[in-house]
Amino acid sequence: MTVTSIQALQEDHFARWKNREAIAESLIPVIGKLYRERNVIVQVFSRTLVNRSVIQMLKVHRRVRMIAGELSVVDTAPFIEALAAMTDIAACKVDLGKIAIDYKNSDKSLTVSDFLRQQLSTVIGNGNCAGQPTDVVLYGFGRIGRMLARLIIEQAGNGQGLRLRAIVVRKTQEGDLAKRASLLRRDSIHGSFEGTIAVDEENEAIIANGNFIKVIYASKPEDVDYTQYGINNAILIDNTGKLKDEEGLGRHLTCAGVARVILTAPAKGSIKNVVYGVNSKDILDSDKIISAASCTTNAITPMLKVLNDKFNIVSGHVETVHSFTNDQNLIDNYHKADRRGRSAVLNMVITETGAAKAVAKALPELQGKLTGNSVRVPTPNVSLAILNLTFADNVSRDALNEYVRDIALHSNLQGQIEYTSSTEVVSTDFIGSRSAGIFDAQATIVNGNHACVYVWYDNEMGYSCQVQRIAEQMAGIKYVTVPAEQLTA
C-alpha cells in the first residue's frame, strides 16, 4: 500500500467520522423535543438516545454491529426526522435501530416515511398512554437510593412519569444536607451526576436538574406527614433494608400522603417478591406493599425463566461471584455473620445467598430445583452469576446462545436480558448497565444436557432499574414499544 493510498484512507475515515458527529449533533434537539413535548422515547436496540451526548449516540449505534449488523446515525437519521414530522403518534418507545435494520433488509419499495408509518400503525392516533405524574419518596439514601434518585431525575424531563419529591434520612450532623448532595453529585463507581445540583439550606432541599427534592429528617416512618410537603398518593421506596415484613413496612402506610410501598430487598412473610418482567404481572392494584427482591434474584430469574421455557431445567446450582457490599468490614473486625467480619478489600469471602430459593417465589416451577451460594470478592461493583444447569434433553452450545440472543433482541425481556459475544469483556465493562443481567455467550459451556451459563450484572444500577420499572408499573406508566416485543412463554 502506497503512502498516497494510506493518506486517502486516513482522510476518508476521518471525514466519515466528522459527518456522523455532525448528524448526531443535529439529532440531539430533535430527539429531546420528541421526548419533552410528545413523550416519545427514541431507542436503538433497547438503548435510549434521550439525553445522550454525540459520542454516546455514536457508541450506541456502533454496539449494534456485534448483535445485528452494521448501523450508524446515517441509517437512523432519516427515520428520526420522519418521526419528528409525524403529528399523530401517541406516547411510546420507538426502537429506530431495529426499524432501520429491517428497512435495510427490505426491498425498499416504500419510502422511509411510509415504512415508518407502517411500523407505527399501533400507536398512531391512540392518545397519550404513559400515565400521569406520580410522587415518589425515597426512604433512605444509600447506594440504591442514590441510583434511584439519578434514574428518576433523568426521566423527569417531560413532566410526566415518576417525580422524586422527597428523601427521608436521619440527621447525622451539621452540614448533613451538603453531604447528601455531594454524595449524589459525585460517585466513585458511576461517575459524576449528569446535570446540576444545588442545595437550598433554608428549605432543606436538594435542587437537581430543576427538581425540588425535600430532605425530610425523621427517626421513624410514622413521624412524617407527607401532605405537609405537598406530597400525595406517593410511592415510597424503602431502601434501608431495616424493615422487611408487612408489619414493619406497613408503618409507612400510616403516614398521610403515602399510597404504596416498594422494598428494595427480599421480603419476609406474605409480601410478593417481584422480579420485573417475570412475575410483575402479578402486581395488583390492591397490593400496597411489594418487594423488588434482591439484585442477584433479578439477575438470574429472567435467564432461568427463558432457559426453563425452552430446555426444561431439571436441577441446577447458582454460584454468585459478588462484589463486596457496605455490610462487610473494610478491615478485620467483629461481625455478627460468619466470615463477613474479615476484610472485604483483601479477601474472597464465602457466604450464603438466598437468591436461588428466592427464584421460586417468582418462578414456582423451579421450586426445589436450585441450590445456591456466594463468594464476595474485592471489587466495588458488578457481579457474576454462574448457572450450572441440567436440562431434560441434550442441547448444543450454538442453539443455546442463539436462543438467548433472540430473546435479548426481540422479546419482552429485552430490558432484563442483555447479550454479549465479546471475547474481551470483564466486570468493569458492565458498570452502568441497565439490564438485570448480561448473558456472556463466549463463556457458555455445554456438555450433553449439562450447561454452564455466565450472567454479569451491575448489582447497583441494573437492580435500581428493575426497581424503577416496578414503580412505573405501580404508577400506571406504560409505554407501547415499537416494534412490538415477542412474548416469552
Side-chain angles (χ1 to χ4, degrees):
M1 184 176 286
T2 65
V3 172
T4 302
S5 61
I6 291 175
Q7 290 175 333
L9 279 173
Q10 291 172 338
E11 291 299 321
D12 178 62
H13 279 287
F14 191 53
R16 284 191 283 128
W17 172 259
K18 289 193 294 184
N19 180 55
R20 291 194 295 270
E21 277 190 317
I23 292 172
E25 285 174 356
S26 69
L27 294 177
I28 287 174
V30 179
I31 293 167
K33 188 173 182 179
L34 279 166
Y35 173 60
R36 282 184 290 275
E37 296 184 5
R38 296 161 61 185
N39 211 358
V40 174
I41 298 173
V42 177
Q43 298 179 318
V44 168
F45 280 79
S46 76
R47 294 198 174 184
T48 183
L49 295 186
V50 177
N51 292 329
R52 295 294 176 257
S53 68
V54 168
I55 297 300
Q56 288 172 332
M57 286 178 62
L58 296 179
K59 288 181 70 174
V60 166
H61 283 78
R62 185 63 173 163
R63 162 183 172 267
V64 176
R65 83 189 190 281
M66 299 181 65
I67 53 177
E70 289 293 333
L71 182 75
S72 79
V73 288
V74 176
D75 302 306
T76 56
F79 287 94
I80 295 172
E81 291 163 358
L83 182 65
M86 297 175 65
T87 58
D88 53 354
I89 182 173
C92 61
K93 292 181 179 179
V94 183
D95 199 318
L96 291 182
K98 293 180 180 178
I99 292 175
I101 287 285
D102 288 344
Y103 185 71
K104 288 176 72 174
N105 295 330
S106 73
D107 60 10
K108 298 186 176 60
S109 59
L110 296 175
T111 65
V112 164
S113 182
D114 288 342
F115 188 85
L116 180 61
R117 181 165 286 275
Q118 186 181 79
Q119 295 286 313
L120 297 176
S121 60
T122 58
V123 292
I124 291 175
N126 283 342
N128 193 321
C129 57
Q132 296 301 311
T134 299
D135 292 348
V136 174
V137 174
L138 294 176
Y139 195 87
F141 206 51
R143 298 299 301 158
I144 300 303
R146 294 196 294 276
M147 289 300 98
L148 283 166
R150 288 187 174 206
L151 289 168
I152 296 170
I153 292 165
E154 178 187 278
Q155 57 82 63
N158 63 3
Q160 300 187 54
L162 304 177
R163 299 188 305 179
L164 180 55
R165 300 295 305 278
I167 62 173
V168 184
V169 293
R170 294 172 182 262
K171 192 164 188 176
T172 56
Q173 62 183 50
E174 290 303 316
D176 180 277
L177 187 62
K179 283 186 175 293
R180 305 281 183 186
S182 181
L183 285 168
L184 180 61
R185 182 183 291 114
R186 305 175 182 89
D187 192 280
S188 300
I189 296 169
H190 298 280
S192 299
F193 176 81
E194 293 289 338
T196 62
I197 292 176
V199 174
D200 184 341
E201 292 281 1
E202 181 179 355
N203 294 299
E204 293 189 322
I206 296 171
I207 317 299
N209 289 359
N211 293 269
F212 182 92
I213 305 164
K214 176 65 179 176
V215 178
I216 301 171
Y217 294 105
S219 298
K220 301 190 298 291
E222 50 269 67
D223 287 349
V224 186
D225 178 351
Y226 293 96
T227 59
Q228 291 184 348
Y229 307 103
I231 299 169
N232 293 282
N233 298 314
I235 294 175
L236 183 144
I237 303 176
D238 187 323
N239 55 88
T240 64
K242 302 296 184 183
L243 306 173
K244 294 185 178 180
D245 58 18
E246 195 160 5
E247 180 182 358
L249 293 167
R251 294 161 63 186
H252 292 301
L253 295 173
T254 66
C255 303
V258 174
R260 306 178 89 172
V261 176
I262 299 174
L263 169 65
T264 62
K268 297 178 180 179
S270 60
I271 296 172
K272 291 178 181 176
N273 282 265
V274 173
V275 174
Y276 186 86
V278 175
N279 66 330
S280 44
K281 62 182 182 299
D282 294 340
I283 300 175
L284 305 176
D285 290 341
S286 58
D287 290 324
K288 299 301 181 184
I289 304 173
I290 290 292
S291 161
S294 71
C295 57
T296 301
T297 305
N298 274 267
I300 65 177
T301 304
M303 184 62 61
L304 288 167
K305 171 182 167 47
V306 299
L307 292 177
N308 187 59
D309 288 345
K310 182 73 171 179
F311 305 113
N312 189 7
I313 297 172
V314 175
S315 63
H317 176 79
V318 178
E319 193 74 29
T320 64
V321 182
H322 199 293
S323 293
F324 63 74
T325 66
N326 200 46
D327 172 66
Q328 295 172 255
N329 292 332
L330 287 176
I331 58 174
D332 291 4
N333 211 335
Y334 175 82
H335 196 294
K336 63 181 180 180
D338 294 341
R339 307 186 201 234
R340 293 195 189 189
R342 303 298 299 279
S343 173
V345 295
L346 295 175
N347 296 293
M348 294 189 291
V349 179
I350 297 174
T351 185
E352 63 181 13
T353 175
K357 291 182 179 178
V359 167
K361 292 186 176 181
L363 284 175
E365 57 267 38
L366 293 183
Q367 179 74 44
K369 293 185 177 182
L370 301 173
T371 58
N373 215 11
S374 179
V375 180
R376 297 287 179 91
V377 295
T379 57
N381 186 37
V382 180
S383 301
L384 177 66
I386 306 169
L387 313 180
N388 285 285
L389 306 173
T390 300
F391 300 127
D393 299 302
N394 291 352
V395 62
S396 73
R397 180 175 185 268
D398 288 346
L400 192 154
N401 281 350
E402 184 56 30
Y403 169 66
V404 176
R405 177 181 175 277
D406 186 63
I407 291 289
L409 288 178
H410 303 297
S411 80
N412 59 326
L413 287 175
Q414 61 183 307
Q416 285 64 58
I417 298 174
E418 191 173 337
Y419 178 96
T420 178
S421 60
S422 172
T423 59
E424 298 296 332
V425 292
V426 292
S427 61
T428 55
D429 294 319
F430 302 107
I431 292 175
S433 170
R434 301 192 173 197
S435 299
I438 305 96
F439 174 83
D440 192 326
Q442 291 292 337
T444 302
I445 300 170
V446 175
N447 182 13
N449 67 332
H450 299 284
C452 188
V453 172
Y454 291 76
V455 181
W456 300 95
Y457 57 108
D458 182 324
N459 45 276
E460 295 181 338
M461 180 59 79
Y463 175 68
S464 296
C465 287
Q466 286 287 89
V467 177
Q468 179 191 25
R469 291 164 186 142
I470 290 175
E472 287 178 339
Q473 178 176 331
M474 294 176 74
I477 301 166
K478 174 63 178 175
Y479 287 92
V480 175
T481 300
V482 182
E485 301 164 333
Q486 300 171 4
L487 296 178
T488 56

